[in-house]
Amino acid sequence: MIVPTQTMQANSTNSPIGEVPKHVAIIMDGNGRWAKSRGLPRAEGHRQGTENLRHIIRACVEFGVEILTIYAFSTENWRRPPLEVRLLMTILETVIDRELKELDENGVQIRHLGRLDQIAPILQKKIKYACDFTNHNSRLILNVAFNYGGRDEIVQAVRRIVREGIPEDQITEDLLNRYLYTGGLPDPDLIIRTSGELRVSNFLIWQGAYSEYYATPTYWPDFDKNELRKAIAEYNQRTRRFGKTDEQLDKED
Ligand code: IPE
Ligand code: IPE
Ligand code: MG
């Protein structure tokens, strides 16, 4: 991954694109259809999609996004043909091997959202290593949702709460929040889905309660920096009321 240091220092205040969402989450969808539309195998779509991710990480840093969460493999993706599942696992392994050093040098802190226990031990080890290795970084938090499902995340959180014997009257939204994989991080401001699908597919179902959603027909491998700019521009047109009236919001300004 190439992330020029100078660009990395740009932040929201000198960005030409208006208010930059602090936390952007992306459902990177449409790799298969991208390939199919070109008469290529699905694997090529995943390869191009992975390549595209490097550019989007770079653009996020340049725009001043502080947290980027990417949906790379869902708990439901195990239902795909075994060969494709294996390929998606291999891709993550390769990305860690190939990009870790550079991501670290560019101040990216990698975090994993999801279950590790169903993943092959060697990949588990690499994921843990990548997280530990970049733990000290703070320029961009990159949450990799891999073997992630929003419902599963809530179930795992509740199990831990019960295991720790937390009394009923201490169970609040804040507490549950802390037990999620994203514990301690702010909710996503903007959730982008590529490839034209208008569904959440089990992604950040708790954290996305008040996120702004943005859908584009563009397939993930074609979702470039300019597309990200467009998504952020549309985000800027939205009024985030959080249940309040416009009159209340005017007074707060
Ligand atoms: C997204 O692209 C990548 C993953 C879900 C891992 P898809 O593989 O879902 O592509 P489409 O939706 O079949 O086009
Ligand atoms: C969502 O995409 C999961 C990821 C992008 C990793 P899918 O392609 O798996 O979603 P569905 O099955 O169309 O809902
Ligand atoms: Mg898909």
Side-chain angles (χ1 to χ4, degrees):
M1 217 201 47
I2 316 132
V3 186
T5 310
Q6 248 169 323
T7 347
M8 304 253 346
Q9 281 159 354
N11 59 33
S12 52
T13 50
N14 59 18
S15 165
I17 52 172
E19 191 200 318
V20 174
K22 190 173 176 160
H23 184 172
V24 174
I26 308 181
I27 303 175
M28 310 182 292
D29 198 11
N31 291 351
R33 278 163 286 164
W34 179 92
K36 194 172 178 193
S37 70
R38 285 166 173 73
L40 298 168
R42 290 180 62 84
E44 186 52 25
H46 293 313
R47 204 190 63 75
Q48 279 297 326
T50 310
E51 186 57 33
N52 190 46
L53 182 56
R54 310 166 84 207
H55 302 298
I56 291 302
I57 293 173
R58 194 170 7 164
C60 280
V61 170
E62 189 182 323
F63 291 159
V65 171
E66 291 173 31
I67 305 165
L68 172 65
T69 301
I70 48 161
Y71 205 8
F73 190 89
S74 75
T75 46
E76 288 70 36
N77 286 145
W78 292 104
R79 297 175 185 157
R80 293 194 177 196
L83 256 180
E84 180 160 344
V85 169
R86 199 171 326 144
L87 173 71
L88 294 167
M89 300 285 153
T90 309
I91 285 177
L92 181 62
E93 228 179 297
T94 314
V95 167
I96 294 174
D97 289 345
R98 211 180 47 197
E99 316 281 349
L100 184 61
K101 194 164 163 277
E102 201 159 341
L103 283 165
D104 178 57
E105 281 166 7
N106 288 297
V108 177
Q109 181 189 127
I110 301 171
R111 295 191 187 194
H112 171 242
L113 313 184
R115 286 179 77 151
L116 276 178
D117 58 329
Q118 296 151 328
I119 297 173
I122 183 160
L123 181 54
Q124 278 188 37
K125 234 169 133 178
K126 285 194 180 178
I127 294 169
K128 281 188 206 149
Y129 180 76
C131 296
D132 290 346
F133 190 70
T134 58
N135 190 29
H136 59 285
N137 293 329
S138 56
R139 213 176 255 159
L140 175 79
I141 293 178
L142 176 66
N143 291 316
V144 182
F146 191 90
N147 194 21
Y148 172 90
R151 288 185 173 179
D152 182 62
E153 177 180 39
I154 294 168
V155 169
Q156 298 309 319
V158 171
R159 281 189 182 169
R160 259 180 66 209
I161 290 169
V162 171
R163 215 183 300 137
E164 291 176 19
I166 298 189
E168 186 189 331
D169 62 350
Q170 282 180 32
I171 298 176
T172 59
E173 290 188 11
D174 274 352
L175 180 111
L176 215 135
N177 233 329
R178 287 202 299 276
Y179 278 76
L180 299 176
Y181 297 125
T182 48
L185 294 177
D187 289 338
D189 301 295
L190 172 65
I191 299 182
I192 297 170
R193 182 164 192 154
T194 58
S195 88
E197 305 298 348
L198 299 177
R199 59 176 167 266
V200 180
S201 300
N202 209 4
F203 186 50
L204 303 178
I205 53 176
W206 171 284
Q207 300 89 334
Y210 261 104
S211 304
E212 293 299 323
Y213 280 89
Y214 175 86
T216 169
T218 305
Y219 296 140
W220 170 247
D222 288 333
F223 185 87
D224 60 12
K225 180 176 164 181
N226 213 32
E227 293 270 348
L228 179 63
R229 194 190 293 272
K230 261 170 35 193
I232 294 176
E234 185 170 319
Y235 169 82
N236 271 279
Q237 299 304 309
R238 308 273 179 93
T239 305
R240 302 187 77 187
R241 293 191 189 83
F242 297 100
K244 297 179 184 173
T245 66
D246 286 337
E247 288 70 25
Q248 283 175 297
L249 296 177
D250 286 346
K251 271 194 207 132
E252 285 171 15
D253 276 345

